[in-house]
Amino acid sequence: MKPINEVVSVITPLDRKNVDTDQIISKEFLKRIERTGFGKYLFYHWRFDENGQEKKDFILNDERYKESEILVAHENFGCGSSREHAPWSIMDYGFRVVIAPSFADIFHNNCFKNGILPIKLSVAEVEELLANGQQEPFKVEVNLEEQTVTAQDGKVYSFEIDPYQKQMLLNGWDEISLTFQYEEHIAAFEEKQRV
Amino acid sequence: MAKTIIEKIWEQHIVYEEKGKPDLLYIDLHLLHEVTSPQAFEGLRLANRKVRRPDLCFATMDHNVPTKNLPIIKDPIAKKQITTLEKNCQEFGIELADMEHPDQGIVHIIGPELGLTQPGKTIVCGDSHTSTHGAFGAIAFGIGTSEVEHVLSTQTLWQAKPKTMEIRINGKLGFGVTAKDVILAIIAKFGIDMGTGHIIEYTGEAIRNLTMEERMTICNMSIEAGAKAGLISPDETTINYLKGRRYVPQGEAFEQAAQNWLALATDEGATYDTVLEIDADEIEPFVTWGTNPSMGSGINAHVPFAADFKEESDREALKKALAYMGLEEGQPLTSIDIQHVFIGSCTNARLSDLQAAAEVVKGKKVHPSVTAIVVPGSRTVKKQAEEEGLDAIFLEAGFEWRESGCSMCLAMNDDVVPAGERCASTSNRNFEGRQGAGSRTHLMSPAMAAASAISGHFVDVREMVAAKA
Ligand code: SF4
């Protein structure tokens, strides 16, 4: 997994709440057996019309946001299906950070396994960022070590993050190798279960 | 100290704990299907890792499988997913109920059916509706593919202890009100993210009176309330359901197990982080009108007005939803015409669901402008239904009678609702495009969907059943 600490980019304001994983990656793209190549299908039915043409009014199709690495949306981002294809498509598209007031549990977890940083800010803070970002491209600097989002207007937003998950992201650790260090505990547990 | 069942099961499964870290939790049962597992197995192979406990894994094929003309899969990519699962199960020694196996079915239907699902277990699957298994008093939750890989190789997961929530349903359900109506009413009342970070325990008189199949319908949709999992403390109903199933202990060992299971029930006086209540007699047969499961109302209500909502973001969400659904503010729900009916999915495709639907359609005909299909949740359900003659009732009425699988719940196979058309569905998600690009989904119970099939529009099934009696 690719470690992550600082990300500087314009934000992509996605003015929606309860964005579900069916919208992030639609089921017709779940048939691949690889982890990569999902970026072109991200938000497919919001991005493209029936003829595969870009819909002009969807934010991802605005040239000015094409290089953005930070997605901002309203509450309960990533609800619904557990499909990890959702974070895979977000990552593959080029986003490294998602900012929202709240996330659905499984999606939130899946982000950490893929080197995506999900940041929770308050509703008011997110609305402020969205409002700024919707007017014109708005740059922020995310710093995981410091747990801050610094906006181009100088405003600093701090966020909380679980210390364990923070370390995972900062170091890009492979969780399975980490867990192997607890092999004796697992074996002892299994032994106890047998009796 | 008095404890909830959630705390008891959690504590029994801690392999390792340390301050500042999540708990390392042991997993007792790992269910697998073709869509969320291939990348996990590939990960194992790349890192040269083994499956630690293949004996605790069980796999089936459900999401992609066709529901007619078996075993031909036309879509080459879907086919590859199926053959990949076969190959992976063979290579890693995992039991598989493949497409033509008599035990095949939707993963959350066959777990309980086979008795793999048991009280007190920790159960995971790369699928959010794993919460279904909580009906037995298990901690069962959906995981992503990276976690599938983690469980395959270590049989554990790092998990922060979730908060606990009680949802008490007081009193008795009224005539014609089903488990599906209960869970839809709960989500409409408290919202689709009310359960975030929590495991829900459903309690109260109404829950105690439910059969196991009805309890599964409720727990199944815990994820639609945003919860990590939902469960119900085991009781005699649980024990009676499990007795004699293939994977439960048999004979005297079963009696012993049953005692342990019953002891898991939440202690008198135990407390939860959050408590919510709802009265059974305020629940009516329910229908959703929007694009998430909380956007629903009792059948005799109307589509809300934007002015009914206080917050601007909710008014916006309503407008977007109605534009997608092709509905107007204030429209009575009974005035909405439909073109499709889908009776199926892990929420409502067990035998009792098919019985309830058959009871409504018996001796009647599907409305000429409606295409209606029944997709049993498993091959076992299909067989039992046929033994009772339910297939004949459905076919006679003009329904199609299909092979088991997820089918039109997510439309990964050929069972798709065309753009702009409307479907009365017994499944669990009405998100945009869920049943096909541009499709419009309305969630409801099997009896309500059956009644809609006959009428061609939504209707209060109680009128139909009462008229019959
Ligand atoms: S029936 Fe629907 S919700 Fe259930 S497992 Fe299949 S796709 Fe998922």
Side-chain angles (χ1 to χ4, degrees):
Chain A
M1 190 172 87
K2 216 160 110 194
I4 174 168
N5 184 20
E6 284 167 32
V7 179
V8 184
S9 145
V10 299
I11 57 170
T12 299
L14 185 65
D15 190 14
R16 296 234 184 191
K17 71 192 230 184
N18 301 318
V19 173
D20 59 79
T21 52
D22 274 77
Q23 306 315 317
I24 299 174
I25 181 92
S26 189
K27 75 269 180 151
E28 56 268 45
F29 310 117
L30 302 184
K31 292 172 184 166
R32 298 168 58 84
I33 55 169
E34 298 84 25
R35 271 187 161 95
T36 50
F38 289 99
K40 49 184 178 293
Y41 308 122
L42 176 69
F43 295 124
Y44 193 84
H45 295 291
W46 288 348
R47 253 163 93 194
F48 302 104
D49 64 19
E50 306 79 62
N51 307 317
Q53 298 299 312
E54 286 193 356
K55 293 187 189 172
K56 284 277 162 300
D57 56 349
F58 187 59
I59 186 81
L60 262 64
N61 293 330
D62 186 327
E63 276 307 318
R64 300 172 301 163
Y65 299 99
K66 289 248 151 120
E67 297 299 310
S68 167
E69 294 180 49
I70 302 172
L71 185 65
V72 186
H74 290 285
E75 293 99 314
N76 199 30
F77 189 88
C79 61
S81 156
S82 64
R83 55 188 73 164
E84 197 161 317
H85 314 69
W88 293 337
S89 62
I90 287 175
M91 182 84 177
D92 195 61
Y93 182 86
F95 290 118
R96 296 299 311 271
V97 178
V98 185
I99 302 178
S102 58
F103 294 88
D105 291 333
I106 305 178
F107 176 84
H108 193 248
N109 248 327
N110 282 341
C111 283
F112 290 102
K113 317 290 179 201
N114 291 284
I116 298 171
L117 169 61
I119 296 178
K120 285 184 212 170
L121 295 179
S122 73
V123 173
E125 289 169 330
V126 168
E127 277 173 4
E128 192 166 85
L129 282 174
L130 284 171
N132 285 328
Q134 273 159 346
Q135 273 160 23
E136 52 188 79
F138 189 77
K139 206 179 237 184
V140 304
E141 181 179 338
V142 169
N143 188 310
L144 174 57
E145 184 71 60
E146 305 281 327
Q147 299 179 210
T148 54
V149 178
T150 309
Q152 67 175 42
D153 58 10
K155 191 151 179 188
V156 182
Y157 307 86
S158 314
F159 60 90
E160 296 295 320
I161 184 167
D162 177 85
Y164 173 78
Q165 293 182 315
K166 179 178 176 177
Q167 287 310 313
M168 297 293 295
L169 284 182
L170 281 174
N171 297 295
W173 276 330
D174 163 26
E175 199 175 39
I176 297 177
S177 340
L178 218 66
T179 308
F180 279 139
Q181 297 170 13
Y182 298 85
E183 146 70 25
E184 353 160 357
H185 295 276
I186 301 172
F189 185 93
E190 287 176 333
E191 192 53 46
K192 196 179 77 196
Q193 246 193 358
R194 245 187 295 272
V195 287
Chain B
M1 210 187 78
K3 284 184 184 161
T4 65
I5 179 170
I6 303 164
E7 291 157 305
K8 293 186 204 180
I9 301 175
W10 194 273
E11 285 165 13
Q12 285 175 10
H13 288 83
I14 296 177
V15 169
Y16 179 81
E17 58 185 329
E18 186 184 317
K19 227 174 165 259
K21 269 194 184 163
D23 294 335
L24 188 61
L25 214 61
Y26 199 78
I27 302 301
D28 296 323
L29 174 64
H30 187 187
L31 300 166
L32 297 131
H33 66 75
E34 76 275 19
V35 178
T36 54
S37 66
Q39 293 87 351
F41 284 109
E42 191 54 27
L44 291 189
R45 262 191 294 268
L46 287 175
N48 218 349
R49 287 171 179 150
K50 292 199 305 278
V51 174
R52 183 179 178 92
R53 293 291 301 270
D55 57 319
L56 301 182
C57 300
F58 191 95
T60 192
M61 299 165 171
D62 51 8
H63 283 65
N64 265 331
V65 300
T67 57
K68 53 181 179 187
N69 306 328
L70 279 181
I72 301 149
I73 301 190
K74 282 178 272 159
D75 180 348
I77 321 176
K79 184 152 189 203
K80 181 145 185 226
Q81 226 169 35
I82 296 282
T83 49
T84 303
L85 182 63
E86 266 164 7
K87 202 177 84 201
N88 286 333
C89 287
Q90 217 163 43
E91 180 179 338
F92 292 97
I94 290 170
E95 197 172 347
L96 168 71
D98 67 14
M99 231 160 46
E100 289 171 278
H101 194 281
D103 293 336
Q104 178 274 347
I106 304 172
V107 65
H108 310 308
I109 297 218
I110 67 173
E113 224 167 50
L114 296 170
L116 287 161
T117 304
Q118 293 167 16
K121 279 192 180 182
T122 46
I123 302 173
V124 297
C125 173
D127 194 283
S128 57
H129 291 99
T130 309
S131 59
T132 314
H133 308 265
F136 291 79
I139 291 187
F141 54 94
I143 56 179
T145 299
S146 297
E147 292 173 308
V148 168
E149 187 178 338
H150 193 278
V151 177
L152 287 173
S153 46
T154 68
Q155 205 55 38
T156 62
L157 277 177
W158 294 97
Q159 291 287 313
K161 198 170 170 189
K163 294 201 270 276
T164 59
M165 175 184 283
E166 177 185 22
I167 298 186
R168 198 178 321 138
I169 300 118
N170 296 314
K172 291 190 169 62
L173 296 175
F175 166 73
V177 179
T178 68
K180 182 64 161 289
D181 304 311
V182 172
I183 188 66
L184 286 173
I186 289 173
I187 297 165
K189 182 165 178 161
F190 302 115
I192 58 167
D193 53 0
M194 61 133 176
T196 308
H198 288 79
I199 295 182
I200 300 172
E201 179 176 3
Y202 301 94
T203 67
E205 186 186 353
I207 294 290
R208 286 290 140 224
N209 290 336
L210 296 179
T211 65
M212 283 320 291
E213 300 205 342
E214 293 168 320
R215 293 180 189 185
M216 286 186 244
T217 299
I218 300 220
C219 289
N220 173 275
M221 289 191 70
S222 302
I223 183 75
E224 271 65 51
K228 181 173 187 73
L231 53 66
I232 292 171
S233 282
D235 58 13
E236 287 303 327
T237 307
T238 323
I239 306 298
N240 291 336
Y241 177 97
L242 287 171
K243 195 164 189 170
R245 300 218 172 233
R246 193 185 313 158
Y247 287 89
V248 298
Q250 307 292 331
E252 228 169 276
F254 182 80
E255 302 308 322
Q256 185 55 51
Q259 292 215 343
N260 297 342
W261 291 339
L262 291 172
L264 288 168
T266 291
D267 299 329
E268 190 78 35
T271 55
Y272 303 81
D273 295 307
T274 315
V275 178
L276 299 173
E277 284 185 69
I278 187 164
D279 288 327
D281 60 11
E282 69 180 67
I283 303 174
E284 281 203 294
F286 229 77
V287 174
T288 65
W289 41 259
T291 52
N292 78 47
S294 73
M295 295 172 151
S297 311
I299 178 67
N300 295 305
H302 53 75
V303 175
F305 292 94
D308 298 343
F309 295 93
K310 280 199 292 289
E311 280 184 50
E312 176 57 27
S313 64
D314 288 327
R315 286 195 288 269
E316 267 308 302
L318 176 79
K319 284 188 189 146
K320 278 201 176 110
L322 295 189
Y324 181 84
M325 294 298 287
L327 296 174
E328 312 260 330
E329 295 178 32
Q331 192 173 346
L333 294 176
T334 48
S335 73
I336 300 173
D337 290 336
I338 54 159
Q339 293 77 44
H340 297 266
V341 170
F342 169 58
I343 296 180
S345 91
C346 57
T347 315
N348 280 127
R350 285 171 282 270
L351 185 62
S352 57
D353 298 311
L354 305 195
Q355 287 166 336
E359 166 126 6
V360 174
V361 304
K362 190 169 189 173
K364 300 203 175 68
K365 290 280 177 215
V366 170
H367 192 274
S369 51
V370 174
T371 310
I373 67 171
V374 184
V375 182
S378 70
R379 295 203 139 202
T380 308
V381 170
K382 182 167 188 257
K383 189 160 149 269
Q384 288 169 338
E386 287 170 354
E387 281 163 10
E388 286 185 14
L390 301 186
D391 56 331
I393 295 176
F394 285 117
L395 288 165
E396 181 69 14
F399 277 83
E400 291 177 39
W401 179 251
R402 298 288 188 84
E403 301 293 335
S404 73
C406 294
S407 176
M408 211 179 259
C409 173
L410 93 165
M412 260 184 100
N413 64 0
D414 291 337
D415 308 337
V416 177
V417 176
E421 298 196 6
R422 211 176 276 296
C423 181
S425 178
T426 66
S427 55
N428 45 51
R429 285 188 177 137
N430 51 348
F431 296 146
E432 287 180 23
R434 174 78 179 181
Q435 297 188 291
S439 64
R440 294 162 171 167
T441 303
H442 297 265
L443 306 175
M444 64 197 74
S445 72
M448 285 288 286
S452 310
I454 305 299
S455 316
H457 58 84
F458 301 141
V459 54
D460 189 338
V461 63
R462 292 173 296 190
E463 288 162 19
M464 233 185 222
V465 181
K468 207 172 182 175

